[in-house]
Amino acid sequence: MRRSTIESLSNPLIKRMRLLREKRHRRAEGLFLAEGLRIATEAREAGILPQWLFLGPEGDAHPLAAALAADTLAAGGEVIDTSGPILSKLSGKDNPQTVVGIYAEPQTALADLDRDAAAIWLVAERLRDPGNLGTMLRTGDAVGAGGLILLDESTDPYAVEAVRASMGAIFTQKLVVARWAEFLPWLRQGPGQLVATWLGDDTEDYQAVHYTAPTFILTGNESQGMPPEYAEAADVRVKMPMMGKADSLNAAVATAVMAYEVLNQRRNQ
């Protein structure tokens, strides 16, 4: 365990860590960056501590920051006292928060998931917007979902924007990246109702369906929806009534509406 001070923007560690804002460097390092005391505290409460913890000028004056620093050191991590400009360099924000943590990127596969651990699982196909991804993780946390399965060419879940939008749920939800060709056979090897949000003709009202656990809620790409063959492979296809001129909901909003409908059915049983 080690505590040190870095005041130079040209420090090699700072140069290395700031590159984590780029996907290829995150992949190469197996690390990602999370900014803010709230997010870092969520991680700590989930039993996850940073390998490096950067603290701004106010240091660990806040009790939660002090506890985070102490636990990071006890776990063998490094705590670094630094300046506002360096935190800005790391986070890419003009007004950074006072805590930046560098975490190991989890390597979770479909085979690692216990589908019976939760009644709800979220599945997103070609999700492109990091804000939507973060919101889906927050929704999953809120409804007690087991996690989020990202299919095909989805946005990087460990991008700074996605981590920030998750508000800490990146640490409380299982997260798997897979291909459709891997996911469907895995799903059919055990229990699981696949529910597709679909705008086709052969759909049912989302409140008219009986959902069985575990329920896998499949949401398609933000602009194109999901491929017809994905919807056809689902156990049920549902849609929500649209009373105005818009013909669809934002992907993250639709996922949240569906997740709470499934949750409410279980609560009312």
Side-chain angles (χ1 to χ4, degrees):
M1 60 182 180
R2 179 185 173 195
R3 185 156 189 165
S4 60
T5 300
I6 294 179
E7 297 178 343
S8 171
L9 289 168
S10 61
N11 181 278
L13 182 64
I14 301 302
K15 290 183 176 180
R16 176 185 166 197
M17 294 298 101
R18 70 182 291 267
L19 290 175
L20 294 178
R21 300 212 310 270
E22 300 177 22
K23 182 177 179 178
R24 64 189 180 95
H25 289 288
R26 289 194 296 274
R27 290 284 173 86
E29 295 271 11
L31 301 169
F32 70 98
L33 181 151
E35 180 198 13
L37 181 57
R38 175 177 174 176
I39 291 178
T41 298
E42 290 277 359
R44 172 175 168 263
E45 291 176 351
I48 301 169
L49 292 163
Q51 295 188 9
W52 288 272
L53 177 67
F54 294 87
L55 295 176
E58 297 178 9
D60 50 6
H62 194 289
L64 287 177
L68 177 62
D71 286 355
T72 298
L73 291 171
E78 184 173 353
V79 176
I80 299 163
D81 297 294
T82 192
S83 65
I86 288 179
L87 289 177
S88 179
K89 195 82 167 178
L90 291 172
S91 67
K93 292 177 64 179
D94 292 335
N95 297 300
Q97 299 191 45
T98 58
V99 173
V100 170
I102 308 297
Y103 295 84
E105 182 178 313
Q107 300 295 322
T108 306
L110 288 169
D112 300 324
L113 298 181
D114 176 7
R115 68 181 73 203
D116 295 319
I120 301 173
W121 294 83
L122 306 182
V123 186
E125 188 266 333
R126 289 179 302 142
L127 192 70
R128 297 298 173 82
D129 183 84
N132 280 338
L133 194 157
T135 300
M136 285 188 182
L137 286 168
R138 291 178 68 184
T139 296
D141 181 86
V143 301
L148 173 64
I149 300 170
L150 291 172
L151 298 180
D152 303 334
E153 300 301 324
S154 291
T155 189
D156 182 4
Y158 297 105
V160 172
E161 298 83 0
V163 173
R164 187 179 296 140
S166 81
M167 295 298 289
I170 191 91
F171 297 108
T172 65
Q173 291 284 287
K174 295 289 186 182
L175 185 58
V176 173
V177 177
R179 309 291 300 185
W180 172 257
E182 303 169 83
F183 168 71
L184 191 60
W186 171 83
L187 179 67
R188 297 312 183 197
Q189 289 172 4
Q193 182 189 41
L194 182 60
V195 179
T197 54
W198 179 243
L199 295 176
D201 295 329
D202 58 337
T203 57
E204 299 182 62
D205 185 280
Y206 80 113
Q207 290 185 319
V209 173
H210 173 65
Y211 299 105
T212 58
T215 306
F216 290 80
I217 301 169
L218 173 61
T219 305
N221 172 265
E222 290 97 333
S223 61
Q224 299 173 346
M226 71 184 73
E229 59 268 28
Y230 290 22
E232 290 166 5
D235 298 300
V236 63
R237 290 163 289 281
V238 300
K239 64 181 176 182
M240 293 149 234
M242 304 296 296
M243 311 305 289
K245 293 185 178 180
D247 62 359
S248 64
L249 291 173
N250 167 275
V253 172
T255 299
V257 172
M258 279 298 308
Y260 270 98
E261 175 61 24
V262 175
L263 176 64
N264 287 336
Q265 282 196 16
R266 296 196 60 77
R267 293 174 65 201
N268 293 329
Q269 285 178 359

